[in-house]
Amino acid sequence: MTTSDSPAPNSRGNAGTRRDPYDGFPGRIGRTFAESEPAWPRRTAPPPRAPNIVVVLVDDMGYSDIGPFGSEIATPTLAALAEEGVRLTNYHTMPLCSPARAALLTGLNPHRVGYAMVANSDPGFPGYGMEIADDIPTLAELLHDAGYATYAVGKWHLVRDSASNAADDRNNWPLRKGFDRYYGVLEGLTSLFHPHQLVRDNSPLDIDEFPDGYYYTDDITDQAISMVKSLRAHDPDKPFFLYLAHNAVHGPLQAKEEDIARHRGRYDEGWDVLRERRFAAQLADGLFPPGTRLPERNSEAGLDVPAWADLTDEQRKLYARYMEVYAALVDNIDQNLGRLTETLEALGELDNTVIVFTSDNGGTGEGGAEGTRSYFSRFVHHPALPGDWTPDVDRDPELIGGPRSLVHYPRGWGMASNTPFRLYKGHTYAGGVRVPFVLSWPKGAREGLIAPGLRTQYQYVTDIAPTLLRLTGLERPAERRGVTLQEPDGFGFTPVLADAEHRSTHREQYCEMTGNRSFYRDGHKLVTLHRPGTPYDDSEWALYDIAADPTEIHDLAAEHPYLVAELAASWEEAARRNGVFPLPDGSGALARRNPAERRLSRPLTLLPGTPELERYRSSRLIALRSFEISVVLDEAGEGVLVSHGDQGGGYSLYVEDGRLHFAYNEYGVLHGSDAGPLTRGEHVVVLAAAAEPGLRWGFTVSVDGEVRAAPPSVHQLIGMAPFQGISVGIDRKSPVSWPLYERHRSFRYRGRLRSVTYRPGAPGPDSPEAVAAALREAAATFE
């Protein structure tokens, strides 16, 4: 029965948006079950016996760092995979982390995806968007659409640092880019003993302390194995895609002592001998044609490496220790890959699993000529660094590689890592872009889909996604969820895997990174080593025939000016088509940030129990500026009031034995100030920092308006430091003060803390705004 006030049946709302619940149902609907015929939706499934896929991506590993590519480091798991699989000896990637990952996971050139740079900048141009658009599907999305389970563990680095916090929309986090599960670190680097912010699936984990013996590489491997075991317990047939992205061997270099011990004394002869031995092994194994020459040591200004024999005994002893730690990292990666392959073997899955092992870019020179035990101070690239800046600290060599020392090796080891190539990560010369590549698939080998052995054909990082799709029997669709997809740039190389004589499927390729450029076509490579602030002109170009001269020794530019002009014009065309412009210059644009971030420098009050504030969000409150921290106590007690940072740099206020203390970790050098007794009852404790010229802070500690301590000024923590975010009432994970950690661990506050308020002050004289203005003036003068 209806009334005049009631809507007519089936007329509620907008009729145009109401769907008939039976529309399209293939069964039959009667009034009762007996009069009806059921039907079920068709389950999406990949082709029968589609292989599992495991992509193991290592961070900053050079061409020669594993046994199958010439290394003395024992990597038996990789040796076995290479023996039954394929080694690409002429595989190229991007020179830096995020761009390489974007290219690998999408099959598109990274500038098109929006990753011209690592995901730690925001100058406001399309190539630097740092977001994978909906019309660019990831390999995980395409495989998931086809019925694969999809898992990612480890380093992500495809979300901008400013979007790595728990308040972000998570649109570019792994679960929104096709992965069912994720466990790891969203940013580009972390401590391997005390990861600064672990994320499980879509949520940061709130962790106070890690257990003794914790090691991140072991942890992410445990998580990967658990995901695979869980899948097989629930579904015996569903194939999976596992993206296992190591943070190792990226700095800071940290390894387990038992792994380091196996490499003691191995590198006492130095990097010159190491290069010669690795190159001899590469030639003996057929990785390069006879007649290939090993270049002289890198000699370019600011990138040069001294002869090992010219170092002092003390230097040689210290530098060898760095490389022992690096070798231990590589060793541990292989051990963990062995645990994963053993699990797959136990499940009966190894035979039908495609395993890819490679690196995102070449070995790095960022440790400088001497290396460092103070990673974040060496990592700083600020144009106004004062003369008294110290890129290293004097630490006990026995601490190198452990949780108390954030180290990186001297660039001589990076040169050896990239044997036999020139230069490093960040460069478009081979040292930055030619890396090891191993692909194994036992079932595919038996069926003739891959022929084990070496491949000398040029292939590129964008080729991985289309190749893996082809191996699963899938085709990349033209549309996805109603969106027309952008065309890929990569070319599947399945014919090369099946036939060692097949021609490369990738004929030409541009590259650009921080102004370094290159263009490859049919064996010839045009390349620059760009000096920041200098003009982009044709005088920069060098030309190499990398088929005959893979180590880029003989510059043919003067002999073939017409080919130089042709390839340079092709680079310009490709750059415009792929969104490479604008190129970096001396204007300071890369220091710019979205104006919307200004809201992050407003005063912020944190209450007890607040999870640790994310690193980048924390930095906006203090970076390159004056600031004040006000701690309101309802009842004084023992413990940490506020902490920000870790063993690589940070500060904390704490109460111990009834006295207030201020600890400042200056990139590994610990300073302490005693601010006197803190009696029972209510108090307001204020830590004030005044930004001074020369990238310094002058601190004062006050209690209830009385200045209690005014220690000497110290260098500001800038760049990536403090790397661990702000915690209230505790010093989580890696501590600011190791002695305090040894006495009390995370030292949770036992009084009553009402609030901690950060009040950012004026930008200092060396702030990004001041630096950008100075750089603009310098650029104008230069022009």
Side-chain angles (χ1 to χ4, degrees), residues 19-30:
R19 181 174 61 83
D20 182 346
Y22 303 119
D23 186 33
F25 178 66
R28 181 167 59 85
I29 301 297

Side-chain angles (χ1 to χ4, degrees), residues 419-473:
T419 301
F421 304 123
R422 295 170 55 194
L423 301 179
Y424 316 95
K425 166 186 176 180
H427 299 128
T428 46
Y429 274 80
V433 297
R434 284 187 72 165
V435 294
F437 188 102
V438 175
L439 186 149
S440 170
W441 183 22
K443 180 175 182 287
R446 286 200 314 277
E447 296 178 354
L449 297 175
I450 70 170
L454 297 177
R455 299 294 186 276
T456 60
Q457 294 88 336
Y458 176 98
Q459 299 297 160
Y460 195 62
V461 61
T462 53
D463 302 338
I464 292 178
T467 299
L468 293 176
L469 282 177
R470 292 276 180 85
L471 292 179
T472 64

Side-chain angles (χ1 to χ4, degrees), residues 683-704:
H683 295 285
V684 176
V685 177
V686 175
L687 175 67
E692 301 172 351
L695 290 166
R696 303 188 75 85
W697 274 321
F699 282 100
T700 59
V701 181
S702 302
V703 178
D704 301 328

Side-chain angles (χ1 to χ4, degrees), residues 164 184-199 204-207 210 214 216 247 376 612-616 645-646 720 722-727 732-734:
S164 296
V185 173
L186 295 177
E187 286 204 278
L189 59 101
T190 198
S191 165
L192 301 186
F193 290 104
H194 302 111
H196 66 292
Q197 180 179 268
L198 284 172
V199 172
L205 297 178
D206 194 20
I207 298 171
F210 289 99
Y214 175 89
Y216 175 78
N247 285 76
F376 292 123
E612 182 179 301
L613 205 62
E614 185 272 331
R615 178 198 68 81
Y616 185 78
D646 52 31
M720 301 294 284
F723 197 66
Q724 197 167 287
I726 296 168
S727 288
R732 292 185 169 96
K733 293 170 283 194
S734 178

Side-chain angles (χ1 to χ4, degrees), residues 542-725:
L543 176 68
Y544 300 98
D545 178 354
I546 65 171
D549 178 25
T551 53
E552 299 171 346
I553 295 175
H554 305 292
D555 181 4
L556 305 176
E559 299 173 39
H560 300 283
Y562 295 107
L563 182 55
V564 170
E566 176 189 336
L567 296 180
S570 295
W571 185 92
E572 294 287 334
E573 179 185 350
R576 181 67 61 184
R577 190 171 65 250
N578 284 278
V580 173
F581 300 115
L583 293 171
D585 55 20
S587 66
L590 284 177
R592 285 200 301 250
R593 287 284 180 163
N594 191 325
E597 287 191 19
R598 291 171 186 159
R599 74 190 191 284
L600 302 181
S601 58
R602 296 201 299 256
L604 174 68
T605 295
L606 302 170
L607 302 179
T610 301
E612 182 179 301
L613 205 62
E614 185 272 331
R615 178 198 68 81
Y616 185 78
R617 175 69 182 95
S618 297
S619 73
R620 296 307 85 193
L621 299 169
I622 70 164
L624 295 165
R625 67 190 325 131
S626 300
F627 64 93
E628 180 182 282
I629 309 170
S630 178
V631 182
V632 180
L633 302 176
D634 288 333
E635 182 61 53
E638 300 277 303
V640 172
L641 304 177
V642 62
S643 68
H644 183 189
D646 52 31
Q647 283 292 284
Y651 57 89
S652 68
L653 283 170
Y654 63 93
V655 182
E656 184 180 31
D657 297 329
R659 301 184 71 85
L660 176 65
H661 295 269
F662 169 52
Y664 188 81
N665 189 319
E666 189 179 22
Y667 299 103
V669 177
L670 184 63
H671 305 277
S673 299
D674 187 333
L678 197 65
T679 59
R680 296 182 61 85
E682 299 180 357
H683 295 285
V684 176
V685 177
V686 175
L687 175 67
E692 301 172 351
L695 290 166
R696 303 188 75 85
W697 274 321
F699 282 100
T700 59
V701 181
S702 302
V703 178
D704 301 328
E706 174 193 357
V707 175
R708 293 282 197 86
S713 68
V714 288
H715 287 124
Q716 294 179 28
L717 299 170
I718 62 174
M720 301 294 284
F723 197 66
Q724 197 167 287

